[in-house]
Amino acid sequence: MPAVVVSGSGENQEFEGRITVYVIVCVIIAAFGGLMFGYDIGISGGVTSMDDFLKKFFPAVFEKKHHALENNYCKYDNQFLQLFTSCLYLAALIASFVASKVCSKYGRKLTMQIASIFFIIGVILTAGGINIEMIIFGRIFLGFGVGFANQAVPLFLSEIAPPNLRGALNISFQLFITIGILVSNLINYLTTNVHPHGWRISLGIAGVPALMLCLGSILICETPTSLIERHKVEEGRKVLRKIRGVENVDDEFDSIIHACEMAKQVKDPFRKLMKPVSRPQLVISICLQIFQQFTGINAIMFYAPVLFQTVGFGNDAALLSSVITGLVNVFSTVVSIYVVDRAGRRILLLEACVQMFISQVIIGIILFKELKTTGDNLSKGEAIFVVILVCTFVMGFAWSWGPLGWLIPSEIFPLETRSAGFAFAVSTNMLFTFIIGQAFLSMLCQMQAGIFFFFAAWVIIMGAFTWFLLPETKGVPVDAMVDKVWKQHWFWRSFMIEDDRPDVKVV
């Protein structure tokens, strides 16, 4: 399938090339970084609801959970329990800036290999944990892995994909995140009654995708852009021929050379990001990450078993309900892969805002009216209806704000600020994931059903931002964004006055 080159004069030219088996293999292997991330997201909620785990590390929470008169909304409100979940994301935030430098200087492939090593160390510490300090340190190492993987994988996927399939291939990262969440939910469901070490099995199985990423990253190629950027020009040409499946790649090669030459002129990409010409990409990337977290999705995915126990399910039933939402998450992401390069980014984001808003509001109303702070939980029918609404919410998120929150930042920055800009996106995501992860159970305790209205209000803000400030990037080559997107947008074009790029071909 040919990719499209766009020149500054507006002329279009088709590059020769097709999707090769090798590219598909590279995409699958790289996306295992997403699988590891998803597994880490999903596993913590199930493990923190297991009695054996709570008795060993959080006895106060265990006692509170089984206290008959305890507030339904506050059963799991414990800062150290939340720290077990959220410290991973604080570590990922810090690691993402180091990963940005590594990604630029040593390439996307090595960055993924380093991520896999961090993952393996983290798995050993958490699964073998004998005290709370050990498991928290393990989660921190997992966070370092997340920071490196989330920096390298989306860039890798965007740079090896042709423009007309960039969205679908990049969303494979998010697809593997959802598969990781689903697998973790299944593992938790199977190990919850394995006493007393079911939680160790759940945490230890994370080593499987970590090893697959470690071994698989040896087999994949570096991206042509990264090779040429690091002065390995002929190797870059060779890899470009390999991933495109044709010998004649001169036009695409020349345009990558041009993009790299422009990138060399920027000695300090982080400083360039602070200039007005980089404002549209930076603001949109940061806002997308903030909005992604304030949909409330990670609060639900982290603590789905806890949430379902709160509304009345037993431990096994709560974990099974999490498996159901995990399946919805995976299949909805597959929908996004099919639709994103056909319908575009904006329509998916806007439709999902409506769907998520309705779901959140109805959940909030049901819990506000029916779930009291003490005493009985919801009836079985009401609890099942809440699960259906959660699935509806997850469905909307999974084909929009989930994958596009990673896709759009990876495709809108020019090469000279791409790695640095994406580092800001990753670190913002991790910061607000940490904030939500650390605060959600306390917010649930204090705000009770109002927490769902809180997230619904954010969905309205997200919809307005998308409608007015987020341009469509479907089918636009990565390095043609300035001319084809930003200079055409009613608001962002005023920031492009400093851009003095010559009128030449770009990828």
Side-chain angles (χ1 to χ4, degrees), residues 52 54 170 186 219 345 382 427:
D52 292 322
L54 293 175
N170 192 285
L186 286 167
L219 303 176
R345 284 67 163 148
E382 290 169 332
S427 60

Side-chain angles (χ1 to χ4, degrees), residues 397-409:
F397 176 87
W399 61 47
S400 62
W401 290 90
L404 300 185
W406 294 110
L407 168 62
I408 294 172

Side-chain angles (χ1 to χ4, degrees), residues 148-455:
F148 273 72
N150 286 16
Q151 175 68 27
V153 174
L155 292 181
F156 177 89
L157 295 174
S158 286
E159 290 176 351
I160 68 169
N164 61 324
L165 288 175
R166 188 178 62 244
L169 292 185
N170 192 285
I171 288 175
S172 64
F173 177 66
Q174 178 68 20
L175 175 63
F176 272 63
I177 291 177
T178 63
I179 292 172
I181 293 171
L182 172 62
V183 170
S184 69
N185 289 333
L186 286 167
I187 297 299
N188 280 334
Y189 179 69
L190 295 173
T191 61
T192 186
N193 292 317
V194 178
H195 304 291
H197 297 304
W199 62 271
R200 292 190 189 275
I201 298 172
S202 291
L203 295 174
I205 287 177
V208 175
L211 282 172
M212 294 184 75
L213 177 63
C214 183
L215 298 176
S217 60
I218 297 172
L219 303 176
I220 64 177
C221 65
E222 183 57 87
T223 70
T225 300
S226 178
L227 289 167
I228 295 169
E229 186 181 21
R230 292 181 288 123
H231 311 294
K232 299 179 180 181
V233 178
E234 286 308 311
E235 189 177 347
R237 186 195 294 270
K238 182 179 178 181
V239 169
L240 187 60
R241 285 175 177 152
K242 186 174 185 178
I243 64 175
R244 294 293 177 255
V246 296
E247 285 297 313
N248 182 15
V249 293
D250 290 344
D251 289 336
E252 186 172 4
F253 178 77
D254 290 343
S255 43
I256 294 175
I257 288 283
H258 166 67
C260 290
E261 287 174 349
M262 292 186 63
K264 290 176 189 175
Q265 298 173 15
V266 179
K267 302 301 182 185
D268 188 348
F270 285 97
R271 185 175 181 181
K272 175 72 181 287
L273 278 175
M274 299 301 108
K275 293 185 176 182
V277 71
S278 299
R279 199 71 45 78
Q281 302 97 316
L282 188 61
V283 169
I284 286 174
S285 294
I286 290 175
C287 286
L288 283 177
Q289 305 310 311
I290 295 172
F291 293 152
Q292 188 188 71
Q293 297 313 307
F294 277 90
T295 58
I297 184 63
N298 274 346
I300 288 175
M301 300 312 288
F302 287 159
Y303 300 113
V306 172
L307 177 64
F308 292 139
Q309 284 192 48
T310 296
V311 300
F313 287 99
N315 191 47
D316 289 356
L319 289 171
L320 182 59
S321 299
S322 300
V323 171
I324 294 171
T325 59
L327 282 168
V328 170
N329 200 10
V330 171
F331 286 117
S332 299
T333 305
V334 173
V335 171
S336 182
I337 290 175
Y338 180 78
V339 173
V340 67
D341 288 317
R342 292 172 171 83
R345 284 67 163 148
R346 277 170 51 88
I347 188 66
L348 287 175
L349 293 172
L350 290 169
E351 184 280 333
C353 283
V354 175
Q355 187 169 329
M356 291 189 298
F357 176 80
I358 293 172
S359 302
Q360 295 268 34
V361 169
I362 296 176
I363 291 172
I365 291 172
I366 291 173
L367 297 188
F368 181 77
K369 290 179 63 179
E370 304 296 338
L371 183 62
K372 308 306 179 184
T373 56
T374 59
D376 294 336
N377 301 122
L378 299 183
S379 68
K380 182 177 180 180
E382 290 169 332
I384 291 173
F385 187 47
V386 167
V387 172
I388 293 172
L389 289 170
V390 168
C391 289
T392 304
F393 169 83
V394 169
M395 188 185 303
F397 176 87
W399 61 47
S400 62
W401 290 90
L404 300 185
W406 294 110
L407 168 62
I408 294 172
S410 74
E411 68 183 1
I412 61 177
F413 285 100
L415 179 59
E416 59 265 29
T417 57
R418 188 171 301 156
S419 186
F422 199 70
F424 268 95
V426 173
S427 60
T428 301
N429 187 286
M430 295 302 108
L431 173 61
F432 282 88
T433 304
F434 168 78
I435 291 171
I436 293 296
Q438 186 64 27
F440 175 71
L441 294 180
S442 297
M443 291 170 66
L444 181 64
C445 179
Q446 298 300 318
M447 299 174 67
Q448 300 181 9
I451 193 171
F452 293 95
F453 299 119
F454 170 81
F455 288 128

Side-chain angles (χ1 to χ4, degrees), residues 2-113:
V4 178
V5 176
V6 180
S7 67
S9 60
E11 297 176 355
N12 286 353
Q13 175 187 353
E14 287 192 351
F15 287 142
E16 292 187 40
R18 56 188 173 83
I19 291 295
T20 62
V21 173
Y22 183 72
V23 167
I24 295 172
V25 171
C26 287
V27 167
I28 293 172
I29 291 173
F32 268 100
L35 180 66
M36 190 70 225
F37 183 30
Y39 193 89
D40 286 331
I41 290 175
I43 206 68
S44 57
V47 166
T48 53
S49 70
M50 293 182 184
D51 285 349
D52 292 322
F53 180 82
L54 293 175
K55 279 190 289 186
K56 184 171 182 64
F57 297 108
F58 304 98
V61 178
F62 176 77
E63 291 298 324
K64 188 188 294 186
K65 174 183 175 181
H66 292 279
H67 197 292
L69 299 179
E70 183 58 56
N71 188 318
N72 282 322
Y73 291 100
C74 300
K75 292 177 181 178
Y76 296 89
D77 181 21
N78 180 282
Q79 288 299 309
F80 284 106
L81 181 62
Q82 292 174 106
L83 182 63
F84 168 76
T85 295
S86 60
C87 65
L88 181 152
Y89 304 97
L90 188 60
L93 186 161
I94 297 168
S96 63
F97 285 102
V98 179
S100 171
K101 295 289 187 181
V102 174
C103 213
S104 293
K105 190 171 182 179
Y106 300 105
R108 286 50 163 152
K109 177 177 176 176
L110 180 63
T111 308
M112 287 188 281
Q113 290 171 336

